[in-house]
Amino acid sequence: MGIIKTDKLVFEYIRRDEEGNVEGITRAVDEVDLDVAQGDFVAVLGHNGSGKSTLAKHINAILYPSEGTVWVDGMDTAEEKNLWEIRQNAGMVFQNPDNQIIGQVVEEDVGFGPENMGVPTAEIWERVEESLKAVGMYEYRRHSPNKLSGGQKQRVSIAGVIAMHPKCIILDEPTAMLDPNGRKEVIRAVRALNAAENITVVLITHYMEEIIHADKVFVMDQGKVAMEGTPKEIFSRVEELKELRLDVPQITLLAYELQKNGLQIPAGILTTEEFVEALTCL
Amino acid sequence: MLRDITLGQYYQADSVIHKLDPRVKLIATITFIISLFVVKNAFGYIIAALFLLSAIKLSKVPFRFMVKGMKTIIFLLLITVIFNLFLTPGEALVSVWKLTITKEGLKSAVFMAIRLTFLIIGSSVMTLTTTPNNLTDGMERLMGPLKIFKVPVHEVAMMMSIALRFIPVLLEETDKIMKAQIARGADFESGNLIKKAKSLVPLLVPLFISAFRRANDLAMAMEARCYRGGDHRTKMKPLIYKKRDAFAYFVLLCYLAICIGANLLVIPGVIL
């Protein structure tokens, strides 16, 4: 069993009209089976309302399954006694950088998690230093978070999570509110963590460019896992992706169109370098 | 720009007063305020003035910052002085029409003015030399014993520091909403007071909605980072008393003793 495993996970919420009468039940997550190995970089793709954020909140025990089970590091999230250990092991980074920074100074915010866990003072300082260095924000440690850019704020949020020494981090659309530069910054920091510290990463996103380095990709649609595989496998199924209202990266699309028109190019090209190589091989 | 707003009125400087534990400064300020109302004669006020002046000198904060705080209470000060001056019964000094200035009135007006001025400047010394964050920490620790009476001390302190953190965020948001509403033809400038107050509605409603949304997000983010109230919590920057804090307490004690001593003192020839 991997670090994160879900078995037939279902989450339902009850829709109500303005008077509070039950209108119906929506299945936000519908029988999802997930198995993530320690050290993996997993991406979850899907357009708005596909259930990907709801799925993420189950891994951190913010939401509990209506049916099925979620295990994090072998612990069942539905059991109350596991709650704090699960939250420490599965750190979570949210979408809006402004609404998850608690401290008035960068270093204090990063120390917030360890403070809550009851880590001794001297060790908090060590953890804060190493986490800020890991995301490249150490020189900003005495700044006010209000004066940082979006990308920098998200990196501080990530540092705040890794200061808790989690085994995996779940990033729920961490780049949705950032500009292209901020997006690159954050993704670079996340990839570095995954490579250097062997932290399992679950990246939830709707930007295709961010998933090309993932070990495994899950594509969600209407609460179900619609596709799963390596980025190469996923991107070679351009037609299916289009049906799910997802855009493939431009270079992949170009390669796909050329291939369709008779050029001998392999399917699932992800980067410009790969494309150039494929062209020169012709 | 709204972004650059500094909260409270902290003045960055490297001084002994800045380095003191916030608890010392809080207690000293309270003691100083009490002492102002305890002393009865001019000698006591001279001691209080000396104490205050040396604190200002040690804090390395320019004097004009201290006086800034006075602007807000100048009106209150004037009213107090006038009421005391004319409405205290006693031995008449000057009499114009129905108004009489009495000797006692003059005395209490002068004392009242001194008290209020010292009170404001004294608390300015504290707020100018302590970051809001430190102040919250100090209050949390000082009020710690109230936990026995089920006062949620930690929660209140946490609320205060979150409020401080979000004031600039919400100010920026206000600015944004204001611009968006102005672009749609809203008018925040013209009209009388009632019209102006009414025009704030399209500003406040979206602001409140967004504040609640933020609060919801923040609560989730805090829980995700294992926040579960004040128990089992350690501090990244715990407050620890140092030698200079003990010395400051000693000085404070001496000051208090001299103040009480001054009350007993009757200097012959001095009328006050």
Side-chain angles (χ1 to χ4, degrees):
Chain A
M1 185 154 87
I3 179 103
I4 301 165
K5 187 174 161 60
T6 67
D7 179 39
K8 295 213 169 15
L9 170 65
V10 175
F11 183 77
E12 293 172 330
Y13 62 88
I14 300 165
R15 273 179 293 128
R16 289 176 193 276
D17 61 11
E18 277 167 24
E19 275 99 47
N21 303 316
V22 178
E23 265 186 339
I25 292 170
T26 307
R27 280 202 164 191
V29 177
D30 194 0
E31 302 208 347
V32 169
D33 294 312
L34 212 67
D35 199 348
V36 180
Q38 170 73 41
D40 266 3
F41 188 126
V42 173
V44 180
L45 263 179
H47 61 84
N48 291 337
S50 61
K52 56 190 195 305
S53 281
T54 315
L55 174 66
K57 282 174 189 145
H58 277 88
I59 307 173
N60 193 263
I62 291 172
L63 295 176
Y64 304 104
S66 308
E67 283 167 39
T69 327
V70 182
W71 291 277
V72 175
D73 200 19
M75 291 175 288
D76 185 347
T77 61
E79 277 178 49
E80 182 100 30
K81 66 173 168 47
N82 294 335
L83 183 65
W84 302 110
E85 213 174 320
I86 286 171
R87 288 197 176 155
Q88 186 246 307
N89 274 317
M92 184 123 182
V93 177
F94 296 89
Q95 184 177 14
N96 190 331
D98 273 322
N99 296 357
Q100 54 181 322
I101 295 181
I102 296 114
Q104 292 175 62
V105 184
V106 166
E107 59 182 11
E108 279 174 18
D109 183 70
V110 178
F112 181 75
E115 278 184 17
N116 290 335
M117 287 156 55
V119 175
T121 302
E123 202 192 323
I124 295 180
W125 283 95
E126 280 167 30
R127 286 185 180 204
V128 168
E129 190 184 325
E130 66 179 33
S131 348
L132 278 173
K133 278 181 178 160
V135 295
M137 287 297 290
Y138 188 62
E139 58 266 49
Y140 294 94
R141 65 191 180 283
R142 298 214 193 286
H143 284 229
S144 155
N146 295 321
K147 295 192 178 163
L148 302 178
S149 73
Q152 288 173 327
K153 280 184 209 169
Q154 280 304 49
R155 274 149 69 202
V156 171
S157 304
I158 294 169
V161 166
I162 49 179
M164 294 163 67
H165 289 179
K167 289 188 179 142
C168 60
I169 47 178
I170 302 111
L171 301 108
D172 186 2
E173 299 195 52
T175 58
M177 298 179 81
L178 307 181
D179 56 23
N181 275 334
R183 284 215 290 271
K184 270 183 215 146
E185 261 172 52
V186 170
I187 294 304
R188 208 179 300 137
V190 172
R191 284 184 60 203
L193 281 178
N194 178 247
E197 322 259 334
N198 199 32
I199 296 175
T200 313
V201 173
V202 178
L203 175 67
I204 291 169
T205 183
H206 59 255
Y207 290 110
M208 291 288 189
E209 299 81 16
E210 292 172 1
I211 66 160
I212 53 177
H213 303 287
D215 296 315
K216 199 169 182 186
V217 180
F218 293 89
V219 181
M220 286 192 70
D221 185 53
Q222 291 176 343
K224 287 190 164 68
V225 173
M227 293 161 82
E228 91 176 73
T230 62
K232 226 178 179 60
E233 285 163 16
I234 298 286
F235 283 138
S236 49
R237 292 149 76 179
V238 176
E239 290 300 324
E240 277 176 70
L241 284 171
K242 275 186 179 165
E243 262 168 48
L244 297 172
R245 285 175 284 159
L246 290 163
D247 296 318
V248 288
Q250 280 177 340
I251 196 75
T252 313
L253 196 63
L254 177 62
Y256 171 76
E257 291 292 340
L258 286 173
Q259 190 192 19
K260 218 165 68 176
N261 285 294
L263 223 58
Q264 297 289 317
I265 291 180
I269 282 191
L270 302 174
T271 60
T272 321
E273 290 79 40
E274 251 180 275
F275 182 67
V276 171
E277 206 178 303
L279 277 185
T280 46
C281 285
L282 285 178
Chain B
M1 254 281 288
L2 278 169
R3 215 173 233 250
D4 294 326
I5 202 158
T6 43
L7 268 173
Q9 36 175 356
Y10 181 66
Y11 181 89
Q12 177 74 47
D14 183 31
S15 81
V16 196
I17 306 277
H18 280 78
K19 280 184 198 141
L20 281 179
D21 192 289
R23 284 171 291 180
V24 178
K25 285 185 266 191
L26 274 166
I27 290 177
T29 312
I30 295 166
T31 317
F32 180 69
I33 291 171
I34 293 171
S35 80
L36 286 178
F37 289 89
V38 167
V39 293
K40 288 200 188 86
N41 54 24
F43 191 61
Y45 284 110
I46 292 169
I47 292 164
L50 283 176
F51 182 73
L52 188 59
L53 278 174
S54 44
I56 293 171
K57 191 83 201 140
L58 280 173
S59 74
K60 293 183 187 167
V61 180
F63 191 69
R64 63 193 161 86
F65 281 90
M66 309 278 171
V67 192
K68 249 188 196 169
M70 291 297 297
K71 272 186 208 154
T72 48
I73 64 138
I74 201 95
F75 200 62
L76 181 76
L77 193 69
L78 274 176
I79 293 175
T80 324
V81 167
I82 291 168
F83 269 72
N84 271 299
L85 207 56
F86 293 113
L87 297 177
T88 318
E91 191 186 327
L93 278 180
V94 191
S95 196
V96 185
W97 185 48
K98 274 183 187 169
L99 299 170
T100 329
I101 296 175
T102 62
K103 195 175 150 192
E104 285 78 8
L106 186 64
K107 188 181 159 184
S108 69
V110 171
F111 276 8
M112 223 39 214
I114 294 176
R115 270 179 195 162
L116 278 175
T117 316
F118 280 16
L119 193 149
I120 295 299
I121 296 181
S123 33
S124 295
V125 174
M126 178 181 74
T127 49
L128 281 164
T129 58
T130 323
T131 57
N133 230 347
N134 249 329
L135 215 55
T136 328
D137 269 1
M139 280 186 204
E140 184 182 353
R141 282 295 292 275
L142 280 179
M143 307 227 244
L146 291 179
K147 271 183 205 155
I148 303 165
F149 305 110
K150 303 251 153 89
V151 179
V153 178
H154 165 80
E155 283 73 11
V156 171
M158 181 54 90
M159 266 154 55
M160 276 171 67
S161 67
I162 288 174
L164 285 169
R165 147 92 180 91
F166 275 90
I167 286 171
V169 177
L170 289 179
L171 276 176
E172 207 177 310
E173 182 128 354
T174 315
D175 196 41
K176 231 188 258 170
I177 297 171
M178 217 162 169
K179 278 182 187 143
Q181 302 289 39
I182 288 172
R184 293 190 181 93
D187 181 11
F188 295 109
E189 307 287 317
S190 63
N192 56 20
L193 205 64
I194 295 168
K195 207 177 161 223
K196 265 188 192 166
K198 269 188 185 161
S199 70
L200 283 180
V201 173
L203 178 68
L204 290 178
V205 172
L207 189 66
F208 266 88
I209 292 173
S210 118
F212 278 111
R213 197 166 291 150
R214 274 180 202 284
N216 200 13
D217 278 6
L218 187 73
M220 195 156 61
M222 284 170 76
E223 284 205 345
R225 281 161 79 182
C226 292
Y227 181 71
R228 57 193 125 163
D231 305 334
H232 323 284
R233 212 161 177 271
T234 44
K235 282 263 177 197
M236 185 182 179
K237 295 174 177 169
L239 296 174
I240 299 163
Y241 279 130
K242 301 209 175 65
K243 259 189 192 150
R244 57 169 168 265
D245 299 310
F247 184 69
Y249 273 133
F250 176 70
V251 171
L252 192 65
L253 213 62
C254 291
Y255 165 73
L256 205 60
I258 296 172
C259 275
I260 294 167
N263 266 353
L264 306 170
L265 210 66
V266 182
I267 308 164
V270 180
I271 44 157
L272 291 175

